[in-house]
Amino acid sequence: MEKLLKFHLTEIFRGSRHEPLRTGGALAIMLLWSQTPSSKLMGLPTLEDASAEFILGDPSAIVRSLAPEMRDEIASSLAAHRPGELEVLRRALIEALSNSSADEIAEAILSFCFPYAWLSEEAAAMLIAALGAHKGARIGCAFTFAASVAWTLAKEHSVDLAIEIDALAPVLSLLARATDRSLRIRVQRIEAITGNEFDGLDHAVIFPPIGMRRLEYSLRLPGSLTGEQLGSEAFGALWGSRLGRGRNIVVVGHGLLFRTSSKDAAFKQELLDSHGLEAVLSLPRGTMPGSSVVMSALIFSGSEHRNQTKRIRFIDGSESETLAQLKLGKLVDSKAAHPLFADVPVTEIGQAGFNLSVERYVLDADALRHRELLGDRETVSLSDIADIRRPQALPRDSGDGPTFQVREALLADVDNGRLSLPVKLSELPRSALPKIESATLKPGDILLSIKGTIGKAALVGEVAETSPVPIVPGQSFVIVRLRKGSLIHDPRILVSYLRSPIAQSLLQAMAGGTTIPNVAMGALKDMPVPVPGAKAQDKMLKKFDEYYELLRNIDEMKDRLSNTESDLFALMLETK
């Protein structure tokens, strides 16, 4: 059915002057028309007996008869179509109704005409399962991406939906009436929230807009952050956590959970201390249509059931197929251990800077084994033995005054733990020389990538001494500079550890970010480093030198192979 309906809609839009949202309004009122008994049509013919000419004769009268509370947008949606376009839509709808239910057609209309507002089916199903609402519960949903969840919940529950897109509200209202859903809709933007939007809710599902910063809210919230300028996601979490008496869910971008600045840490500590956060559920990629933004759901216990366990459950929902075999709602409450979740003490979360990323705590089998290995050995934090520096962006050459060149080390310049001479040359103003002095690479420095590609490590060797042009790291790297007198005696030992499977699994577990993976500096500084004994370190240095000698031999063999191949091809042109 959906393919049939979409085929007709696609044909309509080919060469058409109208947008999908206008067609959505026209289809919504016609679907309601088709589902209204003849006795309630107030003199209108049935949709089958009507025609495009009849509809366009007085669109306002059609809307008044079927949905008198609707504003002029729906009448405008009808009037905006040419007779031929509207007739094809009418016939497509009638044909679809002969094979499919009104419910299926309504969902096809919404997903086709408002794709930017429709979550993936997997993500919506996971959120509904995690909510665990009893039949007939009253549920509040807010903001555009909560529309698909609200639509599904309204089959069995009483749902109030506040959205910020004017054009979507009347279409959803019409389709809800056509499919006999208990869905009440109003238009409201996040800046206008006062705290009186919902009353008497059992649950809430909130999907605040992403990336709205430095907004001032008049809403009084419990806790120390009242009066602060909050981003939209932080505000949505604080507001949504307390809306329902039972469980509440707020969906946020992964970046909000990952950040560990003092302000972000204070906000997340308040979620734990005062707002009943009980679980964090990571959602599959592709949750938001047409976007690679990684999303997670904050699950709150509700005003009547505050979390008193001092533990937070982290659930890995990134692979929806894995969770399909499980009862997700029960997984939130399960007392039995399961590899897809980890119960983490609040004290441990605080030690991690209130990083709430699921992948930091839910580890695969290899990562667990590596953690256990480290647990049996003496370790120190990386920042205890090394200075860690993140380079600043290189200043641009304005074209005025003297300049100098630098080589910028990129990921492509790192191979098998070595840094080759970087190819990229940049021209910088002479005034920038003092700024890059601390970031200029020296022999013995270690480059470690913590953005984009995570965990690529290289020892800076003689290339930094022989290059007449200073070498600086690209923005993906940090410089790890071993301190003199530290428990690890040589940077060759430290880079060997950073390239090991144990360190790589730790770095991957630290990685977060909404779109581009990155490791927070606080987490990197706290990374555990085992301290081998003195004899073991001596053996490691000998083995490292042996490894480098093998790499040099491989380089020589590659050169010989390339030269031999060139000679072979050249002989093809010999005449003697």
Side-chain angles (χ1 to χ4, degrees), residues 38-252:
S38 300
S39 59
K40 296 184 179 181
L41 285 178
M42 300 179 65
L44 289 179
T46 63
L47 181 64
E48 291 84 349
D49 294 332
S51 66
E53 288 76 8
F54 174 82
I55 296 171
L56 293 173
D58 191 352
S60 296
I62 303 290
V63 177
R64 282 197 304 272
S65 299
L66 295 168
E69 77 284 359
M70 285 290 130
R71 296 178 293 177
D72 295 335
E73 285 90 339
I74 299 302
S76 298
S77 296
L78 290 170
H81 291 83
R82 290 191 287 258
E85 293 174 332
L86 196 59
E87 183 62 18
V88 171
L89 279 178
R90 187 185 73 87
R91 291 182 179 181
L93 188 58
I94 292 170
E95 182 180 353
L97 282 165
S98 66
N99 300 307
S100 306
S101 68
D103 200 76
E104 291 171 319
I105 295 171
E107 291 189 13
I109 293 170
L110 288 168
S111 62
F112 184 83
C113 295
F114 301 92
Y116 54 83
W118 226 241
L119 293 186
S120 70
E121 291 184 12
E122 295 83 359
M126 289 171 64
L127 293 173
I128 292 169
L131 192 66
H134 60 82
K135 190 171 183 178
R138 186 175 172 211
I139 302 170
C141 298
F143 310 119
T144 298
F145 279 109
S148 56
V149 175
W151 174 262
T152 303
L153 286 169
K155 286 183 179 180
E156 297 185 347
H157 307 287
S158 176
V159 180
D160 295 273
L161 172 63
I163 54 176
E164 66 271 36
I165 297 180
D166 295 29
L168 181 56
V171 177
L172 270 171
S173 294
L174 289 172
L175 293 175
R177 287 182 57 182
T179 56
D180 198 27
R181 277 173 162 76
S182 180
L183 181 61
R184 294 166 297 280
I185 303 162
R186 68 174 182 277
V187 176
Q188 183 160 35
R189 290 166 180 80
I190 191 169
E191 305 96 312
I193 286 175
T194 63
N196 300 317
E197 287 73 19
F198 297 112
D199 187 32
L201 295 179
D202 295 305
H203 305 280
V205 179
I206 310 299
F207 207 127
I210 294 176
M212 296 174 65
R213 296 290 179 187
R214 303 179 67 84
L215 297 174
E216 294 188 18
Y217 304 94
S218 58
L219 175 64
R220 292 186 62 82
L221 294 166
S224 60
L225 295 180
T226 299
E228 290 277 348
Q229 285 189 332
L230 299 171
S232 50
E233 293 169 274
F235 173 81
L238 294 172
W239 173 63
S241 65
R242 308 179 72 87
L243 286 177
R245 293 183 290 266
R247 182 169 288 159
N248 301 306
I249 293 178
V250 181
V251 182
V252 297

Side-chain angles (χ1 to χ4, degrees), residues 320-370:
S320 57
E321 292 182 2
T322 303
L323 282 178
Q325 306 300 322
L326 302 169
K327 297 291 186 182
L328 182 57
K330 293 183 178 179
L331 196 61
V332 176
D333 300 311
S334 174
K335 298 292 190 292
H338 195 282
L340 284 179
F341 71 72
D343 291 329
V344 183
V346 170
T347 53
E348 181 180 335
I349 297 171
Q351 291 168 359
F354 291 94
N355 184 333
L356 297 181
S357 302
V358 171
E359 62 268 24
R360 180 178 177 85
Y361 305 103
V362 183
L363 306 177
D364 59 27
D366 285 341
L368 285 170
R369 181 171 55 82
H370 293 150

